[in-house]
Amino acid sequence: MAKVEWSAGIDSVSGALSKPGKNGQHTCAKMLLGTHRIAATESPDCNRLYLRKKVKRSTPLTSNELDARARFTAVAAAVKARKSDLNQITTDQQNFAAQKDTAGGKKTMRAYLWLICGQAYDAEHNG
């Protein structure tokens, strides 16, 4: 991943800048992708450039990787359910507003919900 500044007059590029050829002498398995993030975030860097190639994993997944994937899946589902739960919305909005301007406070509601649901998952599974 690389941070990108486009030349004057170009604000953003999103999509494939080059694709691997299928025929011919100079084919390769690499693709150059430019992305422009539009989601809310705390970072001002919104352009990225990726060089993508086919990679085959040489080792099996470790238990830590499997645990991280399971945590991500569970927390993502909890965030999705919590932001639609009418019983939680008002208290979540009040708690979010109270912590937003503090040091280390989350600046977006989504980040706050990920923090809360992640802490609940960790408390349930680690202690």
Side-chain angles (χ1 to χ4, degrees):
M1 172 188 67
K3 295 179 185 175
V4 178
E5 288 187 25
W6 304 108
S7 63
I10 299 174
D11 292 330
S12 66
V13 174
S14 186
L17 300 171
S18 69
K19 294 182 179 179
K22 294 183 180 181
N23 300 322
Q25 180 180 356
H26 299 288
T27 62
C28 64
K30 296 180 183 174
M31 175 184 275
L32 188 62
L33 294 171
T35 62
H36 179 74
R37 184 195 65 244
I38 55 174
T41 185
E42 299 173 15
S43 173
D45 301 321
C46 57
N47 291 313
R48 296 282 192 267
L49 194 62
Y50 299 92
L51 183 61
R52 188 174 141 195
K53 62 181 182 174
K54 291 184 179 181
V55 177
K56 187 171 183 176
R57 188 178 180 109
S58 61
T59 60
L61 291 171
T62 65
S63 63
N64 286 344
E65 290 171 316
L66 292 171
D67 293 342
R69 288 181 182 192
R71 181 185 187 276
F72 181 86
T73 302
V75 173
V79 167
K80 184 176 180 181
R82 188 166 179 144
K83 74 178 185 177
S84 301
D85 185 5
L86 297 177
N87 297 325
Q88 290 285 331
I89 288 176
T90 305
T91 56
D92 283 342
Q93 288 174 343
Q94 291 170 349
N95 293 337
F96 167 70
Q99 64 84 44
K100 184 170 86 168
D101 295 326
T102 62
K106 297 299 179 184
K107 304 299 182 200
T108 65
M109 185 66 162
R110 182 178 300 270
Y112 173 73
L113 290 177
W114 271 89
L115 174 69
I116 296 302
C117 293
Q119 289 173 344
Y121 180 89
D122 292 342
E124 182 180 323
H125 290 85
N126 295 333

